[in-house]
Amino acid sequence: MSDDSAREHTSEQRARPKVLIAGASIAGPALAHWLHRRGAEVTVVERAPALRPGGQAVDARGVTKEVIRRMGLDAAVRAACTQTIGAHTVDVDGNVLETFSVEDDGGDGFIAEIEILRGDLSQALYDDTRDSVEYVFGDRIAELAQDADGVDVVFAGGDRRRFDLVVGADGLHSALRAMVFGPRERFVRHLGHVLAFYSVPNEFGLDRWLLEYQEAGRSAGLRPIRDATSAMAMFSFPAVDFDVDYRDVDAQKRLLRERMAGMGWLTPGILAHLDDTPDFYLDQVAQVVMDRWSTGRVALLGDAAFSSSPMSGQGTGLALVGAYLLAGELAAAGWDPEAGFTAYERRMRSFVEANQEIARLNARSRDLAGSDADPGIDFGGEWFGELVERAINGVELPDYAGVTDSGAGQPITASAGS
């Protein structure tokens, strides 16, 4: 290699922006995929020692399916889907009251055609990026200081490194958000409900249909998963105040037993497996509401920035679409953080707000369950259909023609959603 070629090669290497992502669930690896394709050098740090398996089922609807296609992951994601073909709401004796099919609304209805356990989607995203992205498990950001040219990061394990940009994709309880933007109380809005999920043996005769029973604002359900010998238990209950530490699993299990006591249907049998499950999860139904998702060279993505809560059914969609737009806008802006972050927020804001509104309406409908004092919400109205359409397809996906693309995944071409 000549001296001139060597200098050009070194210049190119130096020009590659170094980006640190906190969080390796869904938003983080998805962003890592797109940042790498756009030419960045990416590191993902995750405080857990490994990927977390299981978890609730998450969905991909509307424009999110196009993002998955552009990632080249459509086949892998569909192969890992739960294969749920519909849902029944039932009475205390198991009689069917209402039925929803996976074919409703073109596969974008209550049961989405792409429905996958959070852990399985996380694994697919990790497998897709593990050879091109640096992953650091069992560590976290302990200190962070930014200046006009970069961000100095001290990791809890003692390592010190400098990055051009840092993105927090570390969930509802984001440590990076608290470190850079302020305490969680400033941004987290509790919607008055708590959700719990955990796997149980399929001793209930569950086939490919989800079952849900509701009683006085509470619900219990069973969801099929790919392993037909197991099922995913689901519970929700109202809780105006929620002060249980999200890391205290024993306290969470006690709370769940207390709040579901006396509930009929299959509830006692499902709760009998509470101490045996390997993947228990319980948390408040909450949203993150922020005026800005960035400051300087630090930005937020996914639940850390704009959690819509599980009651929107679109948390994963927001994460995947947000990852595509954040990486694309940064690259289109020549990696200028102010321009890139501003464009990302401008494109995402209406999409986020529509999904958060749907979640608030769903939470309110549960508050009104069994109440004679309020007629409830007219979910059959034209206004709601328009809101749902905005929440599923109401965001543009630019092709980013002329922006670096490593060529991984499917060609980025215009689609109906862009």
Side-chain angles (χ1 to χ4, degrees):
M1 182 181 294
S2 68
D3 289 344
D4 287 343
S5 297
R7 280 193 292 270
E8 289 176 5
H9 178 74
T10 301
S11 176
E12 289 175 1
Q13 290 295 102
R14 287 176 179 169
R16 291 186 68 196
K18 294 184 177 181
V19 185
L20 173 65
I21 302 170
S25 181
I26 292 175
L31 179 61
H33 168 102
W34 288 112
L35 287 173
H36 170 69
R37 285 178 61 170
R38 299 305 183 194
E41 182 179 331
V42 187
T43 299
V44 179
V45 61
E46 167 59 53
R47 67 187 306 156
L51 295 179
R52 288 165 287 186
Q56 72 270 34
V58 297
D59 308 312
R61 296 180 174 86
V63 70
T64 305
K65 294 185 287 189
E66 172 63 12
V67 171
I68 293 172
R69 185 195 72 81
R70 293 186 184 189
M71 295 178 82
L73 294 178
D74 187 70
V77 169
R78 289 179 183 273
C81 282
T82 64
Q83 307 301 324
T84 303
I85 60 174
H88 296 308
T89 58
V90 300
D91 65 16
V92 70
D93 297 315
N95 300 308
V96 175
L97 301 175
E98 194 172 11
T99 296
F100 304 90
S101 170
V102 70
E103 298 175 355
D104 294 345
D105 301 312
D108 288 337
F110 178 70
I111 299 296
E113 65 171 312
I114 295 182
E115 181 185 83
I116 181 173
L117 294 186
R118 183 207 56 78
D120 290 342
L121 179 56
S122 178
Q123 185 69 53
L125 293 168
Y126 172 70
D127 290 343
D128 171 65
T129 54
R130 62 190 303 175
D131 294 332
S132 56
V133 169
E134 177 190 17
Y135 280 87
V136 180
F137 287 97
D139 208 346
R140 60 182 174 82
I141 299 172
E143 298 178 28
L144 178 151
Q146 59 175 314
D147 53 43
D149 300 315
V151 186
D152 292 312
V153 175
V154 179
F155 293 90
D159 196 11
R160 295 172 178 266
R161 296 170 64 176
R162 185 170 174 82
F163 297 89
D164 296 293
L165 304 167
V166 176
V167 179
D170 48 344
L172 176 66
H173 304 288
S174 172
L176 183 64
R177 185 185 63 228
M179 183 182 300
V180 177
F181 294 84
R184 71 185 303 277
E185 293 78 13
R186 189 180 301 174
F187 310 112
V188 177
R189 308 285 188 269
H190 181 37
L191 297 187
H193 293 266
V194 171
L195 295 179
F197 305 89
Y198 59 93
S199 58
V200 297
N202 186 9
E203 60 187 30
F204 307 97
L206 193 69
D207 51 19
R208 296 173 66 190
W209 288 83
L210 180 152
L211 302 177
E212 184 180 39
Y213 169 68
Q214 297 183 15
E215 179 182 297
R218 301 180 295 176
S219 72
L222 289 168
R223 178 186 291 275
I225 59 178
R226 280 185 302 147
D227 177 6
T229 66
S230 299
M232 187 63 62
M234 311 175 296
F235 290 102
S236 74
F237 57 87
V240 177
D241 297 317
F242 182 75
D243 57 3
V244 176
D245 189 332
Y246 71 93
R247 294 161 295 193
D248 190 341
V249 174
D250 289 339
Q252 294 170 7
K253 290 182 177 180
R254 286 195 300 272
L255 177 65
L256 181 61
R257 284 194 174 95
E258 292 170 2
R259 296 303 178 92
M260 306 310 293
M263 191 164 182
W265 187 56
L266 301 175
T267 304
I270 300 172
L271 288 172
H273 294 287
L274 191 54
D275 290 330
D276 304 324
T277 187
D279 52 9
F280 178 80
Y281 169 90
L282 179 146
D283 207 348
Q284 66 186 135
V285 175
Q287 296 184 338
V288 173
V289 180
M290 305 181 72
D291 292 333
R292 289 205 61 181
W293 306 325
S294 65
T295 178
R297 291 179 170 272
V298 179
L300 300 173
L301 173 68
D303 282 355
F306 39 70
S307 169
S308 58
S309 89
M311 285 196 176
S312 75
Q314 279 283 96
T316 295
L318 292 176
L320 295 180
V321 172
Y324 177 83
L325 293 175
L326 177 53
E329 294 300 329
L330 281 169
W335 303 100
D336 175 74
E338 181 176 358
F341 291 158
T342 298
Y344 150 67
E345 294 191 24
R346 184 178 64 249
R347 289 192 180 278
M348 280 292 291
R349 181 68 65 174
S350 177
F351 189 49
V352 167
E353 289 175 348
N355 281 287
Q356 291 188 331
E357 177 62 16
I358 283 178
R360 287 191 291 268
L361 290 169
N362 284 333
R364 182 166 171 259
S365 72
R366 288 179 179 261
D367 291 336
L368 299 173
S371 171
D372 297 327
D374 195 307
I377 301 165
D378 178 20
F379 287 110
E382 182 177 341
W383 67 273
F384 186 70
E386 293 173 352
L387 178 63
V388 169
E389 177 61 20
R390 186 157 62 93
I392 293 176
N393 290 308
V395 63
E396 180 187 3
L397 296 180
D399 294 340
Y400 295 114
V403 174
T404 298
D405 189 339
S406 67
Q410 298 296 313
I412 295 178
T413 54
S415 70
S418 61

